[in-house]
Amino acid sequence: MKRICHLIGAPVDSGQRRPGCLMGPAAYRVAGLARMLGDLGHGVEDRGDVALPVLREVSCENPAVHSLAETVGWTEALSAAGRAALAEGGFPIFLGGDHSLSLGSVAGVAAHAQGAGRPLFLLWLDAHTDFHTPLTTGSGNLHGTPVAYIAGREGFEGFPPFPAPLPPGNICLYGIRSVDPEEHAALQEGQIDIKDMRVLDEYGIVAPLRAFLEEVHAAEGMLHVSLDVDFLDPSIAPAVGTTVPGGTTFREAHLVMELLHESGLVTSLDLVELNPFLDERGRTARLMVDLVASLMGRKVFDRPTRSYG
């Protein structure tokens, strides 16, 4: 399936304290993302970087929270950009930027899905669950809150209400290996599908992912994929400020992307937490572009598309 890929730059650095993620969109462009997509036969529209709107006053009871007004501004701007791309029939690819950008990207996709009368599913490829709220985060870093916002947890006063929060069964946290105690307690209360590294070690990469994809297919759902650099092992992807050992290998990550391509279910994508300042001669940026290539159809040999259901 050939797509019209809308590249949406999200130079977001407000969700954490280590500077550098704002350079991520430029790094993806320099690494040849648009050229690669074109070589695979997809249309490409680079929409440039989203601009931060005029900020409004917002507050939070948690004194640790920082850059709240900026993060709310990015949420509103990226939500609008995502809705516009999907309304025009595009395949939005959000180029980040720290993971707080997903507060906006997924909100925009969710609004479109609600209008289209289709359920939205979320595949969260990340070392972390990002299930804090602004009230529970000890670090005050809002890049650790998007999944809670998407799931409709309380504590997001000041943010736009999330359109149609996703039911727990529509969210799959895949590759998880670092969970704070507050997140752990909250997740135990719900039904979110958690495929942590123990599950992947025990059952392999393929079976847990295919089980989730079969649910998306059965529901005729839209699928948003959020790919964090720290989903990968830091030995192959060093350009991230939140390294956690024990991530996916080069081949495991490509296999995930190949399975997603074969499913034909993905409708939007985040690329987040790339910090070019921490990279080694563009190594991580090039790897992320290669992974997108596998998601968008690059393969060694053609294989039949898997039939779900």
PDB file of all heavy atoms in Angstrom, residues 284-306:
ATOM      1  N   THR A 284      22.194   6.767  15.393  1.00  0.00           N
ATOM      2  CA  THR A 284      20.841   6.464  15.854  1.00  0.00           C
ATOM      3  C   THR A 284      19.800   6.996  14.882  1.00  0.00           C
ATOM      4  O   THR A 284      18.796   6.318  14.603  1.00  0.00           O
ATOM      5  CB  THR A 284      20.613   7.047  17.256  1.00  0.00           C
ATOM      6  OG1 THR A 284      21.665   6.622  18.125  1.00  0.00           O
ATOM      7  CG2 THR A 284      19.275   6.610  17.813  1.00  0.00           C
ATOM      8  N   ALA A 285      20.020   8.186  14.355  1.00  0.00           N
ATOM      9  CA  ALA A 285      19.071   8.747  13.388  1.00  0.00           C
ATOM     10  C   ALA A 285      18.955   7.851  12.167  1.00  0.00           C
ATOM     11  O   ALA A 285      17.851   7.603  11.667  1.00  0.00           O
ATOM     12  CB  ALA A 285      19.515  10.151  12.982  1.00  0.00           C
ATOM     13  N   ARG A 286      20.076   7.356  11.676  1.00  0.00           N
ATOM     14  CA  ARG A 286      20.032   6.470  10.502  1.00  0.00           C
ATOM     15  C   ARG A 286      19.315   5.167  10.821  1.00  0.00           C
ATOM     16  O   ARG A 286      18.564   4.642   9.985  1.00  0.00           O
ATOM     17  CB  ARG A 286      21.452   6.197  10.003  1.00  0.00           C
ATOM     18  CG  ARG A 286      22.132   7.406   9.355  1.00  0.00           C
ATOM     19  CD  ARG A 286      23.374   6.993   8.580  1.00  0.00           C
ATOM     20  NE  ARG A 286      24.355   6.333   9.429  1.00  0.00           N
ATOM     21  CZ  ARG A 286      25.314   6.963  10.105  1.00  0.00           C
ATOM     22  NH1 ARG A 286      25.403   8.286  10.053  1.00  0.00           N
ATOM     23  NH2 ARG A 286      26.181   6.293  10.844  1.00  0.00           N
ATOM     24  N   LEU A 287      19.536   4.633  12.021  1.00  0.00           N
ATOM     25  CA  LEU A 287      18.842   3.406  12.405  1.00  0.00           C
ATOM     26  C   LEU A 287      17.340   3.631  12.468  1.00  0.00           C
ATOM     27  O   LEU A 287      16.548   2.801  11.988  1.00  0.00           O
ATOM     28  CB  LEU A 287      19.360   2.909  13.757  1.00  0.00           C
ATOM     29  CG  LEU A 287      18.624   1.709  14.375  1.00  0.00           C
ATOM     30  CD1 LEU A 287      18.579   0.524  13.417  1.00  0.00           C
ATOM     31  CD2 LEU A 287      19.277   1.307  15.705  1.00  0.00           C
ATOM     32  N   MET A 288      16.914   4.743  13.035  1.00  0.00           N
ATOM     33  CA  MET A 288      15.480   5.027  13.108  1.00  0.00           C
ATOM     34  C   MET A 288      14.880   5.167  11.710  1.00  0.00           C
ATOM     35  O   MET A 288      13.767   4.684  11.446  1.00  0.00           O
ATOM     36  CB  MET A 288      15.252   6.286  13.931  1.00  0.00           C
ATOM     37  CG  MET A 288      15.553   6.123  15.418  1.00  0.00           C
ATOM     38  SD  MET A 288      14.331   5.153  16.314  1.00  0.00           S
ATOM     39  CE  MET A 288      13.034   6.381  16.537  1.00  0.00           C
ATOM     40  N   VAL A 289      15.595   5.798  10.803  1.00  0.00           N
ATOM     41  CA  VAL A 289      15.121   5.907   9.418  1.00  0.00           C
ATOM     42  C   VAL A 289      15.034   4.527   8.786  1.00  0.00           C
ATOM     43  O   VAL A 289      14.069   4.206   8.062  1.00  0.00           O
ATOM     44  CB  VAL A 289      16.027   6.847   8.607  1.00  0.00           C
ATOM     45  CG1 VAL A 289      15.709   6.763   7.109  1.00  0.00           C
ATOM     46  CG2 VAL A 289      15.874   8.288   9.084  1.00  0.00           C
ATOM     47  N   ASP A 290      15.996   3.665   9.049  1.00  0.00           N
ATOM     48  CA  ASP A 290      15.955   2.299   8.525  1.00  0.00           C
ATOM     49  C   ASP A 290      14.752   1.530   9.071  1.00  0.00           C
ATOM     50  O   ASP A 290      14.127   0.736   8.353  1.00  0.00           O
ATOM     51  CB  ASP A 290      17.245   1.557   8.874  1.00  0.00           C
ATOM     52  CG  ASP A 290      18.413   1.945   7.989  1.00  0.00           C
ATOM     53  OD1 ASP A 290      18.179   2.559   6.925  1.00  0.00           O
ATOM     54  OD2 ASP A 290      19.565   1.638   8.358  1.00  0.00           O
ATOM     55  N   LEU A 291      14.426   1.754  10.346  1.00  0.00           N
ATOM     56  CA  LEU A 291      13.263   1.085  10.915  1.00  0.00           C
ATOM     57  C   LEU A 291      11.966   1.570  10.265  1.00  0.00           C
ATOM     58  O   LEU A 291      11.066   0.774   9.986  1.00  0.00           O
ATOM     59  CB  LEU A 291      13.210   1.317  12.425  1.00  0.00           C
ATOM     60  CG  LEU A 291      14.295   0.617  13.242  1.00  0.00           C
ATOM     61  CD1 LEU A 291      14.235   1.046  14.703  1.00  0.00           C
ATOM     62  CD2 LEU A 291      14.177  -0.897  13.136  1.00  0.00           C
ATOM     63  N   VAL A 292      11.887   2.864  10.003  1.00  0.00           N
ATOM     64  CA  VAL A 292      10.713   3.379   9.292  1.00  0.00           C
ATOM     65  C   VAL A 292      10.632   2.757   7.892  1.00  0.00           C
ATOM     66  O   VAL A 292       9.547   2.428   7.398  1.00  0.00           O
ATOM     67  CB  VAL A 292      10.744   4.910   9.205  1.00  0.00           C
ATOM     68  CG1 VAL A 292       9.555   5.434   8.401  1.00  0.00           C
ATOM     69  CG2 VAL A 292      10.733   5.531  10.600  1.00  0.00           C
ATOM     70  N   ALA A 293      11.776   2.551   7.271  1.00  0.00           N
ATOM     71  CA  ALA A 293      11.789   1.907   5.952  1.00  0.00           C
ATOM     72  C   ALA A 293      11.167   0.516   6.024  1.00  0.00           C
ATOM     73  O   ALA A 293      10.380   0.122   5.149  1.00  0.00           O
ATOM     74  CB  ALA A 293      13.211   1.839   5.413  1.00  0.00           C
ATOM     75  N   SER A 294      11.505  -0.243   7.061  1.00  0.00           N
ATOM     76  CA  SER A 294      10.906  -1.571   7.212  1.00  0.00           C
ATOM     77  C   SER A 294       9.414  -1.480   7.460  1.00  0.00           C
ATOM     78  O   SER A 294       8.621  -2.272   6.926  1.00  0.00           O
ATOM     79  CB  SER A 294      11.583  -2.322   8.360  1.00  0.00           C
ATOM     80  OG  SER A 294      12.905  -2.674   8.031  1.00  0.00           O
ATOM     81  N   LEU A 295       8.989  -0.497   8.240  1.00  0.00           N
ATOM     82  CA  LEU A 295       7.561  -0.300   8.493  1.00  0.00           C
ATOM     83  C   LEU A 295       6.817   0.069   7.211  1.00  0.00           C
ATOM     84  O   LEU A 295       5.665  -0.327   7.005  1.00  0.00           O
ATOM     85  CB  LEU A 295       7.375   0.804   9.539  1.00  0.00           C
ATOM     86  CG  LEU A 295       5.949   1.277   9.819  1.00  0.00           C
ATOM     87  CD1 LEU A 295       5.088   0.146  10.350  1.00  0.00           C
ATOM     88  CD2 LEU A 295       5.954   2.442  10.792  1.00  0.00           C
ATOM     89  N   MET A 296       7.489   0.806   6.326  1.00  0.00           N
ATOM     90  CA  MET A 296       6.847   1.302   5.118  1.00  0.00           C
ATOM     91  C   MET A 296       7.076   0.415   3.896  1.00  0.00           C
ATOM     92  O   MET A 296       6.736   0.804   2.791  1.00  0.00           O
ATOM     93  CB  MET A 296       7.319   2.719   4.831  1.00  0.00           C
ATOM     94  CG  MET A 296       7.021   3.715   5.945  1.00  0.00           C
ATOM     95  SD  MET A 296       5.273   3.820   6.400  1.00  0.00           S
ATOM     96  CE  MET A 296       4.608   4.622   4.934  1.00  0.00           C
ATOM     97  N   GLY A 297       7.668  -0.767   4.116  1.00  0.00           N
ATOM     98  CA  GLY A 297       7.662  -1.734   3.022  1.00  0.00           C
ATOM     99  C   GLY A 297       8.981  -2.187   2.469  1.00  0.00           C
ATOM    100  O   GLY A 297       8.997  -2.990   1.531  1.00  0.00           O
ATOM    101  N   ARG A 298      10.103  -1.698   2.988  1.00  0.00           N
ATOM    102  CA  ARG A 298      11.368  -2.182   2.464  1.00  0.00           C
ATOM    103  C   ARG A 298      11.629  -3.585   2.983  1.00  0.00           C
ATOM    104  O   ARG A 298      11.517  -3.847   4.168  1.00  0.00           O
ATOM    105  CB  ARG A 298      12.525  -1.268   2.876  1.00  0.00           C
ATOM    106  CG  ARG A 298      13.835  -1.643   2.146  1.00  0.00           C
ATOM    107  CD  ARG A 298      14.901  -0.601   2.357  1.00  0.00           C
ATOM    108  NE  ARG A 298      15.398  -0.596   3.729  1.00  0.00           N
ATOM    109  CZ  ARG A 298      16.205   0.334   4.231  1.00  0.00           C
ATOM    110  NH1 ARG A 298      16.563   1.372   3.486  1.00  0.00           N
ATOM    111  NH2 ARG A 298      16.616   0.265   5.474  1.00  0.00           N
ATOM    112  N   LYS A 299      11.977  -4.485   2.085  1.00  0.00           N
ATOM    113  CA  LYS A 299      12.215  -5.872   2.477  1.00  0.00           C
ATOM    114  C   LYS A 299      13.250  -6.478   1.546  1.00  0.00           C
ATOM    115  O   LYS A 299      13.494  -5.984   0.444  1.00  0.00           O
ATOM    116  CB  LYS A 299      10.917  -6.675   2.443  1.00  0.00           C
ATOM    117  CG  LYS A 299      10.189  -6.636   1.105  1.00  0.00           C
ATOM    118  CD  LYS A 299       8.823  -7.291   1.176  1.00  0.00           C
ATOM    119  CE  LYS A 299       7.827  -6.460   1.914  1.00  0.00           C
ATOM    120  NZ  LYS A 299       6.452  -7.003   1.859  1.00  0.00           N
ATOM    121  N   VAL A 300      13.834  -7.573   1.989  1.00  0.00           N
ATOM    122  CA  VAL A 300      14.823  -8.277   1.171  1.00  0.00           C
ATOM    123  C   VAL A 300      14.122  -9.095   0.106  1.00  0.00           C
ATOM    124  O   VAL A 300      14.451  -9.043  -1.077  1.00  0.00           O
ATOM    125  CB  VAL A 300      15.710  -9.170   2.058  1.00  0.00           C
ATOM    126  CG1 VAL A 300      16.718  -9.945   1.197  1.00  0.00           C
ATOM    127  CG2 VAL A 300      16.456  -8.327   3.093  1.00  0.00           C
ATOM    128  N   PHE A 301      13.109  -9.866   0.505  1.00  0.00           N
ATOM    129  CA  PHE A 301      12.300 -10.645  -0.419  1.00  0.00           C
ATOM    130  C   PHE A 301      10.833 -10.344  -0.171  1.00  0.00           C
ATOM    131  O   PHE A 301      10.412 -10.152   0.982  1.00  0.00           O
ATOM    132  CB  PHE A 301      12.534 -12.151  -0.237  1.00  0.00           C
ATOM    133  CG  PHE A 301      13.891 -12.618  -0.646  1.00  0.00           C
ATOM    134  CD1 PHE A 301      14.829 -12.963   0.311  1.00  0.00           C
ATOM    135  CD2 PHE A 301      14.252 -12.707  -1.988  1.00  0.00           C
ATOM    136  CE1 PHE A 301      16.090 -13.390  -0.056  1.00  0.00           C
ATOM    137  CE2 PHE A 301      15.517 -13.133  -2.360  1.00  0.00           C
ATOM    138  CZ  PHE A 301      16.439 -13.476  -1.394  1.00  0.00           C
ATOM    139  N   ASP A 302      10.047 -10.311  -1.230  1.00  0.00           N
ATOM    140  CA  ASP A 302       8.613 -10.112  -1.068  1.00  0.00           C
ATOM    141  C   ASP A 302       7.995 -11.331  -0.391  1.00  0.00           C
ATOM    142  O   ASP A 302       8.310 -12.474  -0.724  1.00  0.00           O
ATOM    143  CB  ASP A 302       7.931  -9.897  -2.422  1.00  0.00           C
ATOM    144  CG  ASP A 302       8.229  -8.509  -2.980  1.00  0.00           C
ATOM    145  OD1 ASP A 302       8.476  -7.604  -2.182  1.00  0.00           O
ATOM    146  OD2 ASP A 302       8.201  -8.359  -4.207  1.00  0.00           O
ATOM    147  N   ARG A 303       7.113 -11.060   0.559  1.00  0.00           N
ATOM    148  CA  ARG A 303       6.364 -12.106   1.218  1.00  0.00           C
ATOM    149  C   ARG A 303       4.892 -11.723   1.173  1.00  0.00           C
ATOM    150  O   ARG A 303       4.563 -10.545   1.188  1.00  0.00           O
ATOM    151  CB  ARG A 303       6.817 -12.279   2.673  1.00  0.00           C
ATOM    152  CG  ARG A 303       8.192 -12.929   2.791  1.00  0.00           C
ATOM    153  CD  ARG A 303       8.657 -13.006   4.252  1.00  0.00           C
ATOM    154  NE  ARG A 303       9.844 -13.815   4.349  1.00  0.00           N
ATOM    155  CZ  ARG A 303      11.083 -13.383   4.106  1.00  0.00           C
ATOM    156  NH1 ARG A 303      11.265 -12.133   3.705  1.00  0.00           N
ATOM    157  NH2 ARG A 303      12.126 -14.180   4.222  1.00  0.00           N
ATOM    158  N   PRO A 304       3.995 -12.699   1.130  1.00  0.00           N
ATOM    159  CA  PRO A 304       2.567 -12.364   1.088  1.00  0.00           C
ATOM    160  C   PRO A 304       2.147 -11.647   2.352  1.00  0.00           C
ATOM    161  O   PRO A 304       2.637 -11.935   3.449  1.00  0.00           O
ATOM    162  CB  PRO A 304       1.888 -13.732   0.951  1.00  0.00           C
ATOM    163  CG  PRO A 304       2.895 -14.726   1.445  1.00  0.00           C
ATOM    164  CD  PRO A 304       4.231 -14.153   1.119  1.00  0.00           C
ATOM    165  N   THR A 305       1.236 -10.684   2.194  1.00  0.00           N
ATOM    166  CA  THR A 305       0.709  -9.972   3.362  1.00  0.00           C
ATOM    167  C   THR A 305      -0.078 -10.945   4.214  1.00  0.00           C
ATOM    168  O   THR A 305      -0.889 -11.731   3.725  1.00  0.00           O
ATOM    169  CB  THR A 305      -0.213  -8.830   2.889  1.00  0.00           C
ATOM    170  OG1 THR A 305       0.565  -7.927   2.102  1.00  0.00           O
ATOM    171  CG2 THR A 305      -0.807  -8.095   4.084  1.00  0.00           C
ATOM    172  N   ARG A 306       0.167 -10.886   5.536  1.00  0.00           N
ATOM    173  CA  ARG A 306      -0.522 -11.796   6.450  1.00  0.00           C
ATOM    174  C   ARG A 306      -2.005 -11.428   6.516  1.00  0.00           C
ATOM    175  O   ARG A 306      -2.368 -10.254   6.595  1.00  0.00           O
ATOM    176  CB  ARG A 306       0.095 -11.713   7.844  1.00  0.00           C
ATOM    177  CG  ARG A 306      -0.595 -12.625   8.861  1.00  0.00           C
ATOM    178  CD  ARG A 306       0.068 -12.524  10.216  1.00  0.00           C
ATOM    179  NE  ARG A 306      -0.652 -13.257  11.222  1.00  0.00           N
ATOM    180  CZ  ARG A 306      -0.542 -14.557  11.433  1.00  0.00           C
ATOM    181  NH1 ARG A 306       0.277 -15.276  10.688  1.00  0.00           N
ATOM    182  NH2 ARG A 306      -1.228 -15.164  12.390  1.00  0.00           N
TER     183      ARG A 306
END
